Amino acid sequence: KLCMSAGANMILSGIPGSGKTELTKTMTGFLDFLQVIITIEDTPEGHFKELFPHLDITSWYTNNNLTESELIDEALRNDCDWLMVTETRTSAAAYALFKGFLTGAKGITSIHSASAYEIPSRYYNMIKSDLPIDKDAFYDDFYATVDLGFHQVRKWIGGKIVRFIDEIVEFTKDGQRKTIYRRWEEDGVFYSEV
């Protein structure tokens, strides 16, 4: 709730099925009804408007004629307060969303990454795989605009699948990564440290 009220830009990471979209939906529920929210998905799995009918949400979906990056650019032209890209899948989309963060737009997206700590390098490598980008400038801008990284895990514990946040990292303006929360499980018991 505090992350949303503070307008933090966040990137969620984890393997497929770890709960990144569910976390995005939970966070969306903490937004104010006066804020304009645009969600972008390649498959309609978020159901944001149905979950939060009191919020000003418009959901857009990619198709053969509209890419993630085109929809992100259009959302920014529509003066949204929050841009929710449920999963950034291409270098063009990653770059478009990153440019949006640089304009002051607030948002949440997710990527596949082994940890929250590795999100900056994962995001950089995703963009540079297809687009020329200056590494130093990227990292300066990343740390100036992205506030938090979350990592979700999915584990088989006690005969059932359990999904939880195992790491939250703060990205600071001076280019530092600080782990501010860790959670782990040992023999069915959860531990955490802040």
Side-chain angles (χ1 to χ4, degrees), residues 4 58 62-63 89 96 98 106 127 137 159 166 170 176:
M4 301 307 281
T58 302
T62 62
N63 60 40
R89 296 187 189 273
F98 187 62
K106 298 298 174 196
I127 293 173
D166 73 334
E170 177 186 16
Q176 300 297 308

mmCIF file of all heavy atoms in Angstrom, residues 4 58 62-63 89 96 98 106 127 137 159 166 170 176:
data_model
loop_
_atom_site.group_PDB
_atom_site.id
_atom_site.type_symbol
_atom_site.label_atom_id
_atom_site.label_comp_id
_atom_site.label_asym_id
_atom_site.label_seq_id
_atom_site.Cartn_x
_atom_site.Cartn_y
_atom_site.Cartn_z
ATOM 1 N N MET A 4 2.371 2.072 -3.446
ATOM 2 C CA MET A 4 1.430 2.669 -4.392
ATOM 3 C C MET A 4 1.124 4.114 -4.032
ATOM 4 O O MET A 4 1.084 4.979 -4.902
ATOM 5 C CB MET A 4 0.143 1.842 -4.460
ATOM 6 C CG MET A 4 0.364 0.399 -4.896
ATOM 7 S SD MET A 4 1.283 0.222 -6.426
ATOM 8 C CE MET A 4 0.001 0.570 -7.613
ATOM 9 N N THR A 58 -8.475 1.332 -17.865
ATOM 10 C CA THR A 58 -8.676 0.935 -19.250
ATOM 11 C C THR A 58 -7.674 -0.177 -19.526
ATOM 12 O O THR A 58 -6.478 -0.015 -19.266
ATOM 13 C CB THR A 58 -8.422 2.113 -20.211
ATOM 14 O OG1 THR A 58 -9.293 3.188 -19.856
ATOM 15 C CG2 THR A 58 -8.666 1.710 -21.645
ATOM 16 N N THR A 62 -2.457 -6.664 -26.567
ATOM 17 C CA THR A 62 -1.684 -6.762 -27.797
ATOM 18 C C THR A 62 -2.378 -7.729 -28.754
ATOM 19 O O THR A 62 -3.173 -8.565 -28.331
ATOM 20 C CB THR A 62 -0.252 -7.267 -27.522
ATOM 21 O OG1 THR A 62 -0.328 -8.587 -26.960
ATOM 22 C CG2 THR A 62 0.494 -6.352 -26.579
ATOM 23 N N ASN A 63 -2.075 -7.558 -30.031
ATOM 24 C CA ASN A 63 -2.567 -8.486 -31.039
ATOM 25 C C ASN A 63 -1.597 -8.455 -32.217
ATOM 26 O O ASN A 63 -0.510 -7.874 -32.103
ATOM 27 C CB ASN A 63 -4.011 -8.160 -31.458
ATOM 28 C CG ASN A 63 -4.151 -6.773 -32.040
ATOM 29 O OD1 ASN A 63 -3.294 -6.308 -32.789
ATOM 30 N ND2 ASN A 63 -5.247 -6.090 -31.713
ATOM 31 N N ARG A 89 7.908 -8.305 -22.442
ATOM 32 C CA ARG A 89 8.406 -9.489 -23.140
ATOM 33 C C ARG A 89 9.446 -9.189 -24.220
ATOM 34 O O ARG A 89 10.171 -10.082 -24.634
ATOM 35 C CB ARG A 89 7.250 -10.238 -23.786
ATOM 36 C CG ARG A 89 6.266 -10.796 -22.789
ATOM 37 C CD ARG A 89 5.246 -11.677 -23.498
ATOM 38 N NE ARG A 89 4.166 -12.065 -22.620
ATOM 39 C CZ ARG A 89 4.198 -13.126 -21.822
ATOM 40 N NH1 ARG A 89 5.271 -13.879 -21.781
ATOM 41 N NH2 ARG A 89 3.174 -13.417 -21.060
ATOM 42 N N ALA A 96 10.379 1.138 -24.391
ATOM 43 C CA ALA A 96 9.242 2.069 -24.377
ATOM 44 C C ALA A 96 8.791 2.352 -22.951
ATOM 45 O O ALA A 96 8.527 3.506 -22.588
ATOM 46 C CB ALA A 96 8.090 1.501 -25.203
ATOM 47 N N PHE A 98 10.603 2.038 -20.223
ATOM 48 C CA PHE A 98 11.684 2.776 -19.584
ATOM 49 C C PHE A 98 11.618 4.260 -19.960
ATOM 50 O O PHE A 98 11.764 5.134 -19.098
ATOM 51 C CB PHE A 98 13.024 2.155 -19.993
ATOM 52 C CG PHE A 98 14.192 2.723 -19.265
ATOM 53 C CD1 PHE A 98 14.306 2.597 -17.892
ATOM 54 C CD2 PHE A 98 15.190 3.369 -19.955
ATOM 55 C CE1 PHE A 98 15.382 3.118 -17.219
ATOM 56 C CE2 PHE A 98 16.282 3.885 -19.293
ATOM 57 C CZ PHE A 98 16.379 3.762 -17.925
ATOM 58 N N LYS A 106 4.205 6.701 -13.783
ATOM 59 C CA LYS A 106 4.358 5.690 -12.739
ATOM 60 C C LYS A 106 3.906 4.353 -13.296
ATOM 61 O O LYS A 106 2.973 4.291 -14.100
ATOM 62 C CB LYS A 106 3.525 6.050 -11.503
ATOM 63 C CG LYS A 106 3.944 7.355 -10.867
ATOM 64 C CD LYS A 106 5.376 7.264 -10.398
ATOM 65 C CE LYS A 106 5.878 8.595 -9.886
ATOM 66 N NZ LYS A 106 7.340 8.607 -9.799
ATOM 67 N N ILE A 127 16.973 -4.910 -23.255
ATOM 68 C CA ILE A 127 16.924 -3.799 -24.209
ATOM 69 C C ILE A 127 18.060 -3.899 -25.217
ATOM 70 O O ILE A 127 17.853 -3.788 -26.418
ATOM 71 C CB ILE A 127 16.962 -2.445 -23.473
ATOM 72 C CG1 ILE A 127 15.676 -2.242 -22.661
ATOM 73 C CG2 ILE A 127 17.137 -1.294 -24.471
ATOM 74 C CD1 ILE A 127 15.686 -1.024 -21.768
ATOM 75 N N ALA A 137 24.596 5.458 -19.399
ATOM 76 C CA ALA A 137 23.391 6.289 -19.392
ATOM 77 C C ALA A 137 22.176 5.481 -18.945
ATOM 78 O O ALA A 137 21.333 5.976 -18.183
ATOM 79 C CB ALA A 137 23.150 6.894 -20.777
ATOM 80 N N GLY A 159 2.958 -30.257 0.595
ATOM 81 C CA GLY A 159 1.973 -30.842 -0.297
ATOM 82 C C GLY A 159 1.159 -29.843 -1.096
ATOM 83 O O GLY A 159 0.170 -30.215 -1.729
ATOM 84 N N ASP A 166 10.087 -13.214 -1.970
ATOM 85 C CA ASP A 166 11.253 -13.611 -1.191
ATOM 86 C C ASP A 166 12.325 -12.519 -1.131
ATOM 87 O O ASP A 166 13.278 -12.639 -0.364
ATOM 88 C CB ASP A 166 11.846 -14.937 -1.691
ATOM 89 C CG ASP A 166 12.583 -14.808 -3.016
ATOM 90 O OD1 ASP A 166 12.271 -13.892 -3.793
ATOM 91 O OD2 ASP A 166 13.469 -15.644 -3.260
ATOM 92 N N GLU A 170 15.626 -2.076 -3.018
ATOM 93 C CA GLU A 170 15.470 -0.657 -3.319
ATOM 94 C C GLU A 170 16.597 -0.241 -4.257
ATOM 95 O O GLU A 170 17.763 -0.566 -4.023
ATOM 96 C CB GLU A 170 15.538 0.177 -2.039
ATOM 97 C CG GLU A 170 15.458 1.667 -2.293
ATOM 98 C CD GLU A 170 15.661 2.489 -1.038
ATOM 99 O OE1 GLU A 170 16.155 1.964 -0.025
ATOM 100 O OE2 GLU A 170 15.330 3.687 -1.081
ATOM 101 N N GLN A 176 22.855 2.517 -6.196
ATOM 102 C CA GLN A 176 23.021 1.390 -5.282
ATOM 103 C C GLN A 176 21.786 0.494 -5.305
ATOM 104 O O GLN A 176 20.678 0.944 -5.596
ATOM 105 C CB GLN A 176 23.253 1.891 -3.855
ATOM 106 C CG GLN A 176 24.487 2.769 -3.705
ATOM 107 C CD GLN A 176 25.753 2.018 -4.020
ATOM 108 O OE1 GLN A 176 25.999 0.943 -3.491
ATOM 109 N NE2 GLN A 176 26.570 2.576 -4.902
#
